[in-house]
Amino acid sequence: MLLCANWKMNLSAKEAAEFINTYARSLVPSSVPTVILAPFTAIPAVAEAVKTSALPRERLAFGAQNLYFESFGAFTGEVSATMLLELGCQYAVCGHSERRQIFGETDEIVGKKVIRCVETGLTPIFCIGETLDERKAGNVEIVLKRQLDVGLSRLTEDQFSKLVVAYEPVWAIGTGVVATPEQAQDAHHFIRHRLKAMCGETAKRIHVLYGGSVNPQNVESLMGQPDIDGALVGGASLKVDSLLALHSGCSKVNTAKLKR
Ligand code: 13P
């Protein structure tokens, strides 16, 4: 299981360092890693604070919320995979719905980001999910299938083992309207099934995270579902106590069940 904190455009470098210092001091031993996904400008401060904490990467890791798929060149404002690796990042989010909706990222663009991550040694956290209109129209599986098929079309079967997938229904992001454990499990089951068609038995080992209004109160019921292997959390990851409570919820489920 994995607990991923997507801070979005929140926390300055100074605030991020203070956050990590406090979080690392209070983190109880557990087999659930925390992954901090910080704004670009806070990544060096997070890296330094993680190093100072002396916690191993299996317990506290970090990454970026985005990257560009080219290696270098005239792409004003963009950041490459190797630049992130140099800072110690292990993860990068690819195709978050906010990137898709606000910044116009297509399935093709997201797919190029995913393969760039895998080829350079970053773990992509590949985000998919339907809008409310798509759900109401009964198109959840059609949308998820298209996002998976196009977004992952460049990966070889072996490369699927380097992938993390996040199911984030757009209607649940930042709304307080969380998917029910059954709705989430249904979508995750479908995703697992599609992944199996794409990479065979490797699909069993891929972490498929749920994101969208996860909080300390609902985290255990969601994580208890058989095909949910972790959480990608926005708002509830911005306060140390709340992230610690989420971590404790994930750890409880993880010890109760054998999870990926
Ligand atoms: P919230 O947890 O704030 O709903 O955000 C979810 C999300 O988008 C994480 O990537």
Side-chain angles (χ1 to χ4, degrees):
M1 189 167 329
L2 269 182
L3 172 61
C4 299
N6 177 8
W7 283 351
K8 307 192 180 183
M9 201 173 72
N10 294 291
L11 302 193
S12 68
K14 185 166 173 283
E15 289 166 339
E18 285 165 6
F19 186 110
I20 299 295
N21 291 338
T22 316
Y23 185 74
R25 266 201 306 274
S26 318
L27 195 58
V28 292
S30 140
S31 57
V32 179
T34 306
V35 178
I36 302 290
L37 302 160
F40 291 134
T41 48
I43 292 173
V46 168
E48 186 58 33
V50 167
K51 192 167 154 208
T52 307
S53 79
L55 288 176
R57 289 300 182 88
E58 297 75 43
R59 293 191 55 202
L60 186 56
F62 58 92
Q65 300 167 14
N66 185 28
L67 78 161
Y68 195 54
F69 54 77
E70 295 289 357
S71 313
F72 59 88
F75 304 104
T76 302
E78 295 297 323
V79 169
S80 73
T82 44
M83 291 170 182
L84 297 175
L85 280 168
E86 189 189 24
L87 297 181
C89 288
Q90 283 178 283
Y91 294 85
V93 179
C94 298
H96 190 280
S97 67
E98 287 149 16
R99 301 287 329 161
R100 293 175 188 260
Q101 296 202 316
I102 305 171
F103 302 100
E105 290 190 12
T106 60
D107 290 323
E108 283 77 14
I109 292 174
V110 177
K112 288 185 190 177
K113 294 185 176 195
V114 169
I115 188 71
R116 173 60 66 190
C117 283
V118 169
E119 283 176 351
T120 51
L122 280 171
T123 300
I125 301 176
F126 168 58
C127 298
I128 56 176
E130 81 288 354
T131 62
L132 188 57
D133 283 349
E134 288 164 340
R135 175 165 283 266
K136 281 184 177 160
N139 290 337
V140 175
E141 296 189 351
I142 293 171
V143 172
L144 296 180
K145 180 177 182 302
R146 189 202 71 228
Q147 292 174 332
L148 286 164
D149 288 357
V150 182
L152 303 178
S153 61
R154 290 177 164 77
L155 299 186
T156 63
E157 241 178 80
D158 278 359
Q159 288 173 325
F160 274 81
S161 62
K162 314 248 163 63
L163 176 73
V164 171
V165 177
Y167 170 62
E168 297 206 307
V170 178
W171 47 271
I173 294 178
T175 57
V177 182
V178 65
T180 65
E182 295 72 28
Q183 283 174 323
Q185 168 56 27
D186 283 352
H188 280 239
H189 182 74
F190 175 77
I191 291 165
R192 183 91 55 204
H193 176 76
R194 277 309 302 161
L195 289 170
K196 200 161 174 217
M198 300 170 94
C199 67
E201 291 306 300
T202 305
K204 285 189 188 155
R205 301 205 306 272
I206 299 176
H207 284 85
V208 185
L209 315 177
Y210 169 81
S213 296
V214 177
N215 63 35
Q217 288 71 48
N218 61 30
V219 70
E220 283 179 52
S221 59
L222 287 160
M223 296 306 117
Q225 300 300 312
D227 286 300
I228 302 186
D229 312 313
L232 179 55
V233 188
S237 75
L238 292 172
K239 292 273 180 317
V240 173
D241 286 351
S242 175
L243 191 58
L244 285 168
L246 286 162
H247 185 261
S248 144
C250 288
S251 301
K252 241 192 254 173
V253 177
N254 209 37
T255 43
K257 313 178 60 152
L258 190 60
K259 279 273 189 180
R260 272 165 284 269

